C-alpha cells in the first residue's frame, strides 16, 4: 500500500519541531535566546571571578554548555551554562594547582555524571518532597535577588531610577504587546538612554574584557598520572553531584511550569557530555541555571531547544561581533531583569497566611530549613539535601506512631492473640518489644501480622526479641498473617541477627 504525497507531507510537518511549523514560535524562541544571552554575559564573568579564571573562560563555558545541552539534554528550553555553584566547588582546585587541573576536573566530572546518569541517579528525584521543592524555589529567588545587591550598592545615583524604569517597562510593556519580550525591550531602551544621554553608570564592559574569538579545543595541561587523578577526583565528584542536583531540580521545576515531562536520565547524561565538551574547549564547566531558565521559560515564554541553542550561539556572537555594543549595556538594565525574575520565581502563595494556617507544621519547618540552609551556604544542593533528610525524619517520626498492637485473650485463657497493624520499620519497631505482657500472658501467644508489613531488619530483630523473651519463660509464640514480601524477609533473617 503506497502512502499519498499529501499524507507523507503531513507526517513530515508533524515530525518537525514546533518552531519550524509556526513562525510565531520561531520568533518567540529567537528573542528569548537573545534575552538570555544578554543576561548570561555579566553572570558568566562574575562566576569566572569566583573560580579565579579569566572572564573568557566563563563565557566559553556558557557557550559550549548551552549549545551542547540543547542537543543532548532531556529538558527542552532549560538553560545550562557556567554557574556559581560549580565555580565555588572547583575554584579552590584552580587556586591551589592551576587552571590545567580545573579543566581536568571538569572533564572527569562529566564522566562521573554520565556514569551516574546511566546508573539511574535521576530516579532519586522522586524522594524530594514538595515542601523541599517550594523551599528550593523560594531560596533560589532570594539568592537571585541577593546577587543583585552588590550592583545596587555604592553606585552612582542614576542607577536607581534606571532600575525602576527597567522594572516598569517589564511590568507594563506586555500589556501593550507580547510580540517582543519585555526584558529585551527594557535592555535596549535603557542602553539607548544611557549612551545617548552620556549617563555614567557601571556597564557590562566594566566586568571584564569580552573574548574576541571562539574557544580552541585541546587537552588539559596536566601530567597524566595517578597523582593527578587522585588530586582532581574529589573536586570532580563534588562538581558532578552538585551539577546533577541543581540540573534535576531545575528540570523538575520547568516540568511543573510548562506542565510537560522531561527525560531526567537523558538530562543527567547530557550534563556529563556538555561538561566533557566544555572541558576540552577550555571552559570551567557548569550545570542548569535556574535564573536564566526562568528568564527563558517563565518571562520570555520559550518552550523548545532552539532558545537554549541560540542563547549559547548569541552569546558568542554578541561577544565577538558586537563586543563594543554589548560592553555599553548598563548593569542597571540586567539587574532590573534579574530582580523581575526573582519576584516571578518566588512562590508567594506558599507564605500567604491562609496557606500557612492550613499546612502541617512539619511541612512548614522543612520549607524554612531548606531556605535557611541555601541562603546561609549559597549552595542549593546543601539546602535540598538537608531539607530532604529533615522531611524523611519528620515522616519517619509520624509513621512510627501508626503501628499499633492490640490483644485478645481466649475465654478459656489458653492463648492470647496480639494483632499488630501498620508499617514495621526501624522507627516503629523500636517500641514493639515493650507492647507485650511477657509475664502475664498464657502459655501460647499468637502474633497476627495480617494488618502489618515488615520493611527492614530492625523489625525482624524486634520480633525475634519478642519471641526470645516468651521462650525464656517457657511459652510458645506463633507468628501468622505475614504477606509474601514480609514472610520472605522474616524467613531469611529470623534467628540470624543476634550478636554472636
Amino acid at each position: 500500500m503506497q502512502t499519498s504525497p499529501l499524507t507523507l507531507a503531513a507526517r513530515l510537518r508533524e515530525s518537525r519541531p514546533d518552531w519550524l511549523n509556526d513562525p510565531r514560535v520561531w520568533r518567540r524562541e529567537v528573542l528569548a535566546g537573545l534575552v538570555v544571552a544578554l543576561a548570561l554575559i555579566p553572570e558568566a564573568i562574575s562566576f569566572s571571578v569566583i573560580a579565579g579564571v579569566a572572564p573568557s573562560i566563563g563565557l566559553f563555558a556558557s557557550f559550549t554548555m548551552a549549545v551542547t545541552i540543547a542537543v543532548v539534554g532531556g529538558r527542552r528550553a532549560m538553560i545550562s551554562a557556567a554557574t556559581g555553584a560549580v565555580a565555588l566547588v572547583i575554584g579552590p582546585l584552580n587556586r591551589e594547582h592551576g587552571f590545567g587541573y580545573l579543566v581536568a576536573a571538569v572533564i572527569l566530572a562529566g564522566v562521573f555524571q554520565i556514569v551516574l546518569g546511566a546508573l539511574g541517579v535521576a530516579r532519586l528525584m522522586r524522594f524530594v518532597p514538595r515542601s523541599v521543592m517550594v523551599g528550593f524555589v523560594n531560596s533560589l529567588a532570594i539568592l537571585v535577588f541577593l546577587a543583585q545587591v552588590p550592583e545596587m550598592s555604592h553606585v552612582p545615583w542614576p542607577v536607581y531610577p534606571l532600575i525602576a524604569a527597567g522594572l516598569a517597562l517589564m511590568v507594563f510593556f506586555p500589556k501593550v504587546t507580547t510580540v517582543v519580550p519585555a526584558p529585551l525591550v527594557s535592555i535596549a531602551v535603557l542602553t539607548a538612554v544611557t549612551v545617548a544621554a552620556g549617563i555614567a553608570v557601571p556597564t557590562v564592559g566594566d566586568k571584564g574584557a569580552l573574548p574576541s574569538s571562539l574557544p580552541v579545543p585541546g587537552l588539559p595541561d596536566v601530567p597524566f598520572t595517578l597523582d593527578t587523578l587522585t588530586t582532581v577526583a574529589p573536586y570532580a565528584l563534588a562538581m558532578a553531584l552538585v551539577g546533577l542536583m541543581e540540573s534535576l531540580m531545575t528540570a523538575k521545576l520547568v516540568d511543573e511550569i510548562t506542565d510537560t515531562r522531561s527525560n531526567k536520565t537523558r538530562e543527567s547524561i547530557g550534563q556529563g557530555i556538555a561538561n566533557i565538551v566544555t572541558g576540552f574547549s577550555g571552559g570551567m564547566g557548569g550545570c542548569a541555571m535556574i535564573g536564566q531558565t526562568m528568564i527563558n521559560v517563565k518571562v520570555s515564554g520559550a518552550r523548545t531547544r532552539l532558545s537554549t541553542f541560540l542563547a549559547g550561539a548569541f552569546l558568542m556572537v554578541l561577544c565577538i561581533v558586537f563586543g563594543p555594543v554589548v560592553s555599553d549595556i548598563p548593569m542597571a538594565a540586567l539587574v532590573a531583569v534579574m530582580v523581575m525574575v526573582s519576584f516571578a520565581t518566588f512562590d508567594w502563595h506558599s507564605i500567604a497566611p491562609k496557606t500557612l494556617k492550613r499546612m502541617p507544621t512539619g511541612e512548614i519547618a522543612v520549607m524554612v530549613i531548606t531556605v535557611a540552609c541555601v541562603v546561609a551556604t549559597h549552595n542549593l544542593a546543601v539546602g535540598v539535601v538537608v531539607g530532604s533528610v529533615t522531611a524523611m525524619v519528620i515522616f519517619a517520626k509520624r509513621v512510627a506512631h501508626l503501628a499499633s498492637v492490640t490483644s485478645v485473650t481466649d475465654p478459656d485463657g489458653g492463648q492470647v492473640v496480639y494483632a499488630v497493624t501498620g508499617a514495621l520499620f526501624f522507627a516503629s519497631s523500636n517500641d514493639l518489644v515493650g507492647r507485650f505482657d511477657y509475664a502475664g500472658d498464657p502459655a501460647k501467644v499468637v502474633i497476627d501480622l495480617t494488618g502489618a508489613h515488615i520493611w527492614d531488619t530492625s523489625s525482624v530483630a524486634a520480633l525475634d526479641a519478642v519471641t526470645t523473651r516468651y521462650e525464656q519463660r517457657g511459652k510458645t509464640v506463633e507468628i501468622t498473617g505475614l504477606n509474601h514480601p514480609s514472610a520472605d524477609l522474616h524467613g531469611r533473617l529470623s534467628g540470624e541477627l543476634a550478636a554472636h
Side-chain angles (χ1 to χ4, degrees), residues 394-404 421 423 425 427-428 431 435:
I394 292 174
F395 174 77
K397 184 178 180 182
R398 186 182 303 161
V399 174
H401 297 297
L402 298 180
S404 63
T421 59
F425 64 109
S428 60
D431 299 328
R435 307 291 288 275

Side-chain angles (χ1 to χ4, degrees), residues 28 43 57 67 112 125 130 143 156 186 207 231 323 336 354 379 415 432 458 473:
R28 181 189 66 203
E43 291 212 354
I57 304 302
V67 170
F112 283 148
M125 287 303 297
R130 186 182 182 280
L143 286 186
S186 175
K207 290 290 183 180
T231 299
K354 289 183 178 179
N379 190 324
Q415 74 172 15
L432 189 65
S458 298
R473 291 170 172 79

Side-chain angles (χ1 to χ4, degrees), residues 89-180:
V89 171
I90 61 175
L93 178 63
N94 177 60
R95 285 187 285 272
E96 293 174 16
H97 299 278
F99 180 66
Y101 282 81
L102 181 148
V103 172
V106 171
I107 296 171
L108 184 57
V111 174
F112 283 148
Q113 288 177 329
I114 292 175
V115 173
L116 291 170
L119 291 175
V121 69
R123 288 194 290 270
L124 295 176
M125 287 303 297
R126 72 183 68 179
F127 298 108
V128 178
R130 186 182 182 280
S131 52
V132 173
M133 191 69 189
V134 173
F136 170 82
V137 171
N138 289 346
S139 58
L140 163 76
I142 294 171
L143 286 186
V144 170
F145 181 82
L146 292 178
Q148 312 314 310
V149 173
E151 303 297 338
M152 296 184 284
S153 305
H154 309 292
V155 292
W157 69 264
V159 167
Y160 303 109
L162 285 173
I163 293 175
L167 291 171
L169 277 170
M170 284 182 283
V171 170
F172 296 109
F173 186 79
K175 301 180 185 300
V176 179
T177 179
T178 57
V179 173
V180 182

Side-chain angles (χ1 to χ4, degrees), residues 225-295:
T225 62
L226 182 60
D227 183 58
T228 300
L229 179 62
T230 56
T231 299
V232 303
Y235 294 94
L237 181 59
M239 174 185 164
L241 294 174
V242 169
L244 281 182
M245 188 172 296
E246 291 209 19
S247 298
L248 293 175
M249 289 293 289
T250 304
K252 186 176 181 181
L253 177 60
V254 177
D255 288 352
E256 294 181 1
I257 293 173
T258 61
D259 196 23
T260 57
R261 296 186 65 181
S262 59
N263 188 332
K264 305 296 192 303
T265 297
R266 177 177 173 179
E267 181 62 35
S268 302
I269 296 173
Q271 287 290 329
I273 295 172
N275 272 307
I276 290 174
V277 172
T278 299
F280 282 118
S281 300
M284 57 181 276
C287 62
M289 293 190 74
I290 184 72
Q292 306 304 329
T293 299
M294 290 301 100
I295 293 177

Side-chain angles (χ1 to χ4, degrees), residues 125-481:
M125 287 303 297
R126 72 183 68 179
F127 298 108
V128 178
R130 186 182 182 280
S131 52
V132 173
M133 191 69 189
V134 173
F136 170 82
V137 171
N138 289 346
S139 58
L140 163 76
I142 294 171
L143 286 186
V144 170
F145 181 82
L146 292 178
Q148 312 314 310
V149 173
E151 303 297 338
M152 296 184 284
S153 305
H154 309 292
V155 292
W157 69 264
V159 167
Y160 303 109
L162 285 173
I163 293 175
L167 291 171
L169 277 170
M170 284 182 283
V171 170
F172 296 109
F173 186 79
K175 301 180 185 300
V176 179
T177 179
T178 57
V179 173
V180 182
L184 182 58
V185 174
S186 175
I187 293 170
V189 170
L190 295 187
T191 301
V193 168
T194 54
V195 172
I199 302 175
V201 292
T203 63
V204 171
D206 296 333
K207 290 290 183 180
L210 301 180
S212 57
S213 62
L214 290 171
V216 178
L219 295 174
D221 184 17
V222 294
F224 293 92
T225 62
L226 182 60
D227 183 58
T228 300
L229 179 62
T230 56
T231 299
V232 303
Y235 294 94
L237 181 59
M239 174 185 164
L241 294 174
V242 169
L244 281 182
M245 188 172 296
E246 291 209 19
S247 298
L248 293 175
M249 289 293 289
T250 304
K252 186 176 181 181
L253 177 60
V254 177
D255 288 352
E256 294 181 1
I257 293 173
T258 61
D259 196 23
T260 57
R261 296 186 65 181
S262 59
N263 188 332
K264 305 296 192 303
T265 297
R266 177 177 173 179
E267 181 62 35
S268 302
I269 296 173
Q271 287 290 329
I273 295 172
N275 272 307
I276 290 174
V277 172
T278 299
F280 282 118
S281 300
M284 57 181 276
C287 62
M289 293 190 74
I290 184 72
Q292 306 304 329
T293 299
M294 290 301 100
I295 293 177
N296 198 43
V297 174
K298 202 164 187 178
V299 179
S300 301
R303 292 293 183 270
T304 75
R305 297 178 184 275
L306 180 64
S307 59
T308 305
F309 181 87
L310 289 179
F314 281 147
L315 175 63
M316 279 294 98
V317 172
L318 289 170
C319 291
I320 296 172
V321 180
F322 300 101
V325 176
V326 173
S327 296
D328 288 335
I329 295 176
M331 285 301 300
L334 300 176
V335 168
V337 171
M338 297 310 294
V339 169
M340 179 62 72
V341 168
S342 173
F343 277 85
T345 302
F346 197 92
D347 186 353
W348 297 100
H349 177 71
S350 67
I351 60 171
K354 289 183 178 179
T355 304
L356 294 176
K357 287 180 181 179
R358 296 173 181 173
M359 284 180 64
T361 304
E363 300 282 312
I364 298 174
V366 169
M367 181 179 70
V368 172
I369 289 171
T370 302
V371 173
C373 287
V374 171
V375 174
T377 64
H378 282 234
N379 190 324
L380 292 166
V382 170
V384 171
V385 170
V386 174
S388 297
V389 171
T390 304
M392 291 176 186
V393 171
I394 292 174
F395 174 77
K397 184 178 180 182
R398 186 182 303 161
V399 174
H401 297 297
L402 298 180
S404 63
V405 179
T406 57
S407 64
V408 176
T409 305
D410 284 356
D412 59 2
Q415 74 172 15
V416 61
V417 178
Y418 283 92
V420 181
T421 59
L424 299 181
F425 64 109
F426 62 90
S428 60
S429 61
N430 285 334
D431 299 328
L432 189 65
V433 179
R435 307 291 288 275
F436 298 85
D437 184 5
Y438 302 101
D441 283 341
K444 184 176 181 181
V445 178
V446 177
I447 301 176
D448 183 6
L449 297 177
T450 303
H453 186 97
I454 299 176
W455 287 105
D456 59 9
T457 58
S458 298
S459 304
V460 177
L463 290 172
D464 284 352
V466 172
T467 301
T468 300
R469 290 195 181 187
Y470 276 117
E471 289 175 345
Q472 288 173 346
R473 291 170 172 79
K475 302 176 182 180
T476 60
V477 177
E478 180 185 1
I479 297 177
T480 64

